[in-house]
């Protein structure tokens, strides 16, 4: 997968932060009384797992159930620390794992659990709560605790250009474009899950920073460069990987 980059620029009403742009175009900021302000936004559910983790196939199989909710954006991040685990069937290197995905999980655990330890499978909801990723009842309980009456993103597509209208928020945040494979199927030939076929859903392949979203919101355009089996989501998150401010899937 390739994402086209352009020169860094400023947007959202003269924001001073440089953008590591993905074909991002500057547009006028959305007015504070935009009709987007009162639309309930989805809950962001992030699953951290590995194909080498014996408890992770169950968690991966549960994700479509959660993702089927119309108020959820579900993403699975494959971590790399299981790649070195040796079993009687040898080791397995997860082809979707990346050290930066492990770093994301570590920061969540420092922020939420106040611990340096991490585990899989783990679910993080809206960047604020976490639980075991293979327990449906615990996941459902966290989803019921989330606040839904907060700013949303209206996403539209015209040709190869995506437009996101972002409503106002109390704090604003950092915008990211997350790209993912909608479905993957991997035959595991070694390690703890040897002999299994590991099906993954919304498997993250990349995450790129787009810049700062001010409290008054704004409009963001991104060039579409992914294929039919791939998707993406725009996430606005509080600094230092805090709470998710708002998010939306990219339109198909």
């Amino acid at each position: 997968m390739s994402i086209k980059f352009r020169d860094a620029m400023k947007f959202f009403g003269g924001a001073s932060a440089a953008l590591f742009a993905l074909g991002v175009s500057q547009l006028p900021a959305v007015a504070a009384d935009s009709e987007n302000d009162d639309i309930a936004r989805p809950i962001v559910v992030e699953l951290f797992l590995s194909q080498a983790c014996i408890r992770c196939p169950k968690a991966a199989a549960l994700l479509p159930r959660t993702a089927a909710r119309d108020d959820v954006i579900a993403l699975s991040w494959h971590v790399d620390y299981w790649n070195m685990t040796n079993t009687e069937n040898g080791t397995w290197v997860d082809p979707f794992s990346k050290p930066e995905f492990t770093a994301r999980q570590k920061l969540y655990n420092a922020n939420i659990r106040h611990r340096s330890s991490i585990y899989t499978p783990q679910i993080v909801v809206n960047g604020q709560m976490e639980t075991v990723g293979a327990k449906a009842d615990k996941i459902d309980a966290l989803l019921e605790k989330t606040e839904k009456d907060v700013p949303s993103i209206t996403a539209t597509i015209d040709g190869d250009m995506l437009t996101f209208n972002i409503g106002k928020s109390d704090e604003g945040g950092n915008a990211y474009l997350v790209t993912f494979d909608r479905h993957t199927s991997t035959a595991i030939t070694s390690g703890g899950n040897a002999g299994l076929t590991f099906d993954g859903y919304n498997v993250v392949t990349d995450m790129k920073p787009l810049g700062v979203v001010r409290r008054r919101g704004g409009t963001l355009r991104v060039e579409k460069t992914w294929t039919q089996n791939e998707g993406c989501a725009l996430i606005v998150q509080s600094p230092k990987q805090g709470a998710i401010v708002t998010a939306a899937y990219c339109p198909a």
Side-chain angles (χ1 to χ4, degrees):
M1 174 184 300
S2 63
I3 303 290
K4 296 180 180 179
F5 285 82
R6 297 178 182 172
D7 294 335
M9 64 188 78
K10 298 179 181 180
F11 76 114
F12 291 114
S16 59
L19 300 184
F20 300 92
L22 290 134
V24 176
S25 300
Q26 182 178 6
L27 292 173
V30 173
D33 60 352
S34 167
E35 63 181 4
N36 298 323
D37 295 343
D38 297 325
I39 302 174
R41 64 99 163 92
I43 305 163
V44 177
V45 175
E46 301 178 64
L47 171 62
F48 293 90
L49 75 170
S50 168
Q51 291 182 350
C53 159
I54 61 174
R55 293 183 176 86
C56 288
K58 179 179 179 180
L62 275 177
L63 193 66
R65 169 186 176 274
T66 304
R69 292 177 47 144
D70 59 10
D71 62 344
V72 163
I73 288 177
L75 302 168
S76 57
W77 306 80
H78 287 233
V79 296
D80 69 341
Y81 49 87
W82 278 94
N83 294 348
M84 298 174 287
T85 302
N86 194 22
T87 71
E88 61 181 10
N89 292 315
T91 61
W92 176 258
V93 177
D94 188 328
F96 300 102
S97 64
K98 291 187 178 183
E100 51 264 44
F101 299 167
T102 299
R104 183 170 179 83
Q105 187 188 19
K106 285 182 176 179
L107 185 51
Y108 270 142
N109 279 268
N111 290 345
I112 300 170
R113 299 171 64 225
H114 308 292
R115 297 180 184 179
S116 59
S117 61
I118 51 179
Y119 69 92
T120 55
Q122 183 181 31
I123 285 280
V124 175
V125 175
N126 275 354
Q128 296 176 297
M129 301 177 288
E130 64 85 29
T131 192
V132 179
K135 295 186 179 293
D137 57 338
K138 291 189 175 183
I139 297 170
D140 290 343
L142 288 191
L143 295 180
E144 293 307 312
K145 290 181 181 180
T146 58
E147 181 184 355
K148 302 180 179 67
D149 189 18
V150 291
S152 183
I153 300 172
T154 300
T156 58
I157 186 168
D158 183 9
D160 288 333
M161 292 301 298
L162 302 176
T163 300
F164 300 95
N165 291 315
I166 305 170
K168 67 178 181 179
S169 63
D170 291 337
E171 300 296 335
N174 299 314
Y176 301 92
L177 189 73
V178 180
T179 50
F180 56 84
D181 286 333
R182 301 180 190 278
H183 176 242
T184 63
S185 186
T186 307
I188 310 298
T189 58
S190 60
N193 288 323
L196 297 180
T197 296
F198 196 108
D199 286 313
Y201 301 92
N202 290 6
V203 177
V204 175
T205 55
D206 206 1
M207 180 178 185
K208 297 297 184 185
L210 300 181
V212 176
V213 177
R214 299 296 188 181
R215 289 182 295 176
R216 61 179 172 175
T219 300
L220 175 65
R221 280 183 176 169
V222 182
E223 186 175 0
K224 181 181 183 296
T225 58
W226 41 94
T227 65
Q228 185 65 32
N229 188 50
E230 297 169 331
C232 72
L234 184 72
I235 293 176
V236 179
Q237 189 163 21
S238 299
K240 299 181 180 179
Q241 203 176 294
I244 301 292
V245 177
T246 188
Y249 281 127
C250 301

